[in-house]
C-alpha cells in the first residue's frame, strides 16, 4: 500500500461513535448546513418504509439533523411509492425530473436527477433495500462533512454477511473493484467498501461530477472525486453491519462489466472494447447465450444543465 494511502487510513477513517449526535447538531448550527437524504428505489416496498421511518424518527423528530428525505422511484411496479410516502418521504418519479432529457435505466441516472429535486448543502445517498436499518448509516457519513471543512465525500464502511457467513458479501467489490483500484488508482486502495451505496457528499462537489448512469456510478464517482478534490477530501466511516438483498451470479456479472467499462473510460478515452457481455443459461437445447449491453452512457456534471443553473440563480 502507498505511504499516502496508509496515512489517509489513519487520518480519514473513523467510526460512527467518534461523532455523537449532539456534536453533529452543534456543527450543523454553526455552519448553517442543510442535509438531504436520497433513496433511489426500484421495487423496494418491503424495506423502503422502515428506512424512511427510522430516519424520520431518529434524525428529524428526535434531533433535526436531516432536513428532507426524498425517495426517487425509478419505475417500480409494486407499492414502493405508496409505502415511502406513508412513512413520511417526499416521493418523486424519475421521469418527472428534467423531462427534457429522456431517462435511461440505471441507479446513476436516478442519483444524478435527484440533485434537481433536493436542496441540501449535503446530499446523503442510502440504498432502499437495506434490512434492520440503523440511522447510524446517515449520521455516520454526514458527520465528517459537518465537522471537517476539508472533507467533501464520505463513504460508509461495514461488514457484509452473505448467507450467515461474515464478510462474504461484496463479491463484485473483491473480484472486480478492489483489483481495479489497487492497480490503477492505488490512492483509493484504502476504501473498505468502494462500491457501497451509502455515501454523502457536499453538493458543491456532486454538481461538478459526471454520473455514469448505471452500476459504475460508485467507482466513477470515487475516481473522479479523487482527481477533482484530492485524496484528503475523501473519507470513510464504520457504521457496523449492512444487510440487504443479494443478487444472483449473472446479475453480478453484468454489474462487473459495467464497472469495468466505467474504469476503462477513465483509463483511456481512445480505443475502447466492445461494450457488451455474453452470459449463458441452460435451456431445452443446452446452454444458450444471452448478450447484454453494458452501461456506457454518462450524464454531464449537473452544474452544466440549464435547468439547474436557473434554479441556483433563483
Amino acid at each position: 500500500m502507498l505511504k499516502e494511502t496508509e496515512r489517509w487510513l489513519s487520518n480519514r477513517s473513523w467510526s460512527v461513535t467518534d461523532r455523537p449526535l449532539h456534536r453533529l447538531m452543534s456543527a450543523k448550527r454553526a455552519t448553517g448546513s442543510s442535509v438531504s437524504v436520497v433513496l433511489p428505489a426500484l421495487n423496494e416496498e418491503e424495506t423502503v418504509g422502515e428506512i424512511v421511518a427510522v430516519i424520520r424518527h431518529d434524525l428529524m423528530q428526535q434531533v433535526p439533523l436531516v432536513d428532507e428525505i426524498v425517495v426517487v422511484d425509478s419505475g417500480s411496479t409494486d407499492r414502493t411509492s405508496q409505502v415511502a410516502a406513508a412513512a413520511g418521504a417526499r416521493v418523486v418519479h424519475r421521469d418527472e425530473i428534467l423531462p427534457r432529457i429522456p431517462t435511461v435505466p440505471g441507479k446513476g441516472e436516478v442519483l444524478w436527477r435527484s440533485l434537481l429535486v433536493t436542496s441540501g448543502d449535503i446530499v446523503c445517498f442510502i440504498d432502499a433495500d437495506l434490512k434492520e436499518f440503523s440511522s447510524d448509516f446517515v449520521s455516520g457519513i454526514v458527520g465528517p462533512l459537518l465537522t471537517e471543512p476539508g472533507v467533501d465525500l464520505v463513504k460508509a464502511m461495514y461488514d457484509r454477511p452473505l448467507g450467515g457467513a461474515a464478510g462474504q458479501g461484496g463479491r463484485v467489490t473483491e473480484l472486480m473493484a478492489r483489483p481495479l483500484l489497487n492497480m490503477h488508482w492505488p490512492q483509493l486502495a484504502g476504501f473498505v467498501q468502494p462500491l457501497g451505496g451509502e455515501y454523502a457528499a457536499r453538493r458543491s462537489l456532486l454538481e461538478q461530477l459526471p454520473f455514469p448512469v448505471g452500476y459504475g456510478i460508485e467507482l466513477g464517482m470515487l475516481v473522479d472525486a479523487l482527481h477533482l478534490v484530492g485524496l484528503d477530501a475523501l473519507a470513510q466511516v464504520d457504521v457496523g453491519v449492512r444487510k440487504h438483498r443479494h443478487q444472483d451470479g449473472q446479475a453480478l456479472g453484468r454489474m462487473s462489466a459495467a464497472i469495468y467499462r466505467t474504469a476503462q473510460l477513465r483509463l483511456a478515452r481512445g480505443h475502447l472494447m466492445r461494450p457488451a457481455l455474453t452470459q449463458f443459461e441452460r435451456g431445452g437445447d443446452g446452454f444458450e447465450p444471452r448478450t447484454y449491453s453494458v452501461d456506457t452512457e454518462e450524464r454531464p456534471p449537473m452544474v452544466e444543465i440549464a435547468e439547474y443553473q436557473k434554479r441556483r440563480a433563483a
Side-chain angles (χ1 to χ4, degrees):
M1 183 175 289
L2 296 177
K3 291 293 184 182
E4 181 182 6
T5 307
E6 291 181 356
R7 177 187 55 79
W8 176 85
L9 271 170
S10 297
N11 297 334
R12 287 291 187 259
S13 295
W14 295 295
S15 167
V16 64
T17 58
D18 292 335
R19 294 175 178 82
L21 282 174
H22 68 82
R23 182 184 172 194
L24 299 189
M25 289 308 305
S26 295
K28 184 181 181 186
R29 286 189 291 268
T31 60
S33 299
S34 55
V35 177
S36 298
V37 175
V38 172
L39 279 72
L42 177 63
N43 295 328
E44 303 294 357
E45 67 174 351
E46 294 184 3
T47 51
V48 68
E50 180 183 355
I51 296 171
V52 171
V54 168
I55 296 171
R56 277 188 56 82
H57 176 269
D58 293 358
L59 303 180
M60 296 182 81
Q61 296 168 350
Q62 297 287 340
V63 295
L65 182 70
V66 171
D67 297 281
E68 64 175 349
I69 306 174
V70 179
V71 171
V72 183
D73 191 332
S74 57
S76 297
T77 56
D78 65 3
R79 298 183 63 255
T80 290
S81 291
Q82 297 93 318
V83 170
R90 177 161 60 95
V91 179
V92 184
H93 194 282
R94 173 199 62 192
D95 297 348
E96 298 172 355
I97 308 170
L98 199 60
R100 171 176 67 84
I101 300 176
T103 58
V104 296
K107 178 183 177 183
E109 175 84 351
V110 173
L111 300 187
W112 182 71
R113 289 176 186 265
S114 76
L115 297 180
L116 261 171
V117 293
T118 53
S119 58
D121 304 303
I122 295 169
V123 182
C124 174
F125 299 120
I126 300 291
D127 281 351
D129 65 342
L130 302 188
K131 302 174 182 178
E132 301 177 29
F133 178 76
S134 166
S135 60
D136 285 351
F137 275 72
V138 175
S139 60
I141 56 180
V142 166
L145 296 167
L146 292 171
T147 62
E148 308 290 333
V151 171
D152 289 331
L153 185 150
V154 183
K155 297 278 294 189
M157 57 177 167
Y158 32 66
D159 295 318
R160 295 185 68 178
L162 176 64
Q168 295 303 304
R171 291 162 287 173
V172 175
T173 293
E174 300 303 329
L175 297 175
M176 174 61 69
R178 201 176 308 286
L180 279 173
L181 292 175
N182 275 265
M183 288 187 290
H184 299 296
W185 297 281
Q187 289 172 294
L188 298 174
F191 276 95
V192 175
Q193 298 291 350
L195 300 185
E198 292 71 45
Y199 46 98
R202 299 190 193 280
R203 177 176 295 273
S204 57
L205 171 62
L206 293 172
E207 65 186 13
Q208 297 182 69
L209 298 176
F211 275 55
V213 298
Y215 287 124
I217 177 62
E218 276 82 25
L219 183 134
M221 184 177 291
L222 264 188
V223 171
D224 293 338
L226 173 68
H227 289 296
L228 188 62
V229 295
L231 183 61
D232 280 344
L234 313 180
Q236 60 184 350
V237 174
D238 187 349
V239 296
V241 179
R242 184 186 197 266
K243 297 181 180 180
H244 66 111
R245 183 187 69 252
H246 293 281
Q247 300 193 57
D248 63 35
Q250 292 210 334
L252 296 180
R254 296 191 290 275
M255 183 186 300
S256 297
I259 290 166
Y260 179 75
R261 172 70 172 188
T262 300
Q264 184 187 46
L265 286 170
R266 280 151 179 78
L267 287 168
R269 296 287 174 171
H271 173 70
L272 298 173
M273 289 189 248
R274 181 174 65 102
L277 174 72
T278 299
Q279 297 177 318
F280 294 88
E281 297 178 7
R282 184 180 290 279
D285 298 321
F287 286 103
E288 300 174 357
R290 299 284 188 272
T291 299
Y292 302 88
S293 61
V294 174
D295 296 323
T296 59
E297 189 169 354
E298 296 195 5
R299 295 305 191 188
M302 185 57 79
V303 74
E304 298 177 7
I305 300 299
E307 289 87 340
Y308 191 77
Q309 295 173 359
K310 182 178 180 180
R311 196 191 76 164
R312 292 180 71 197

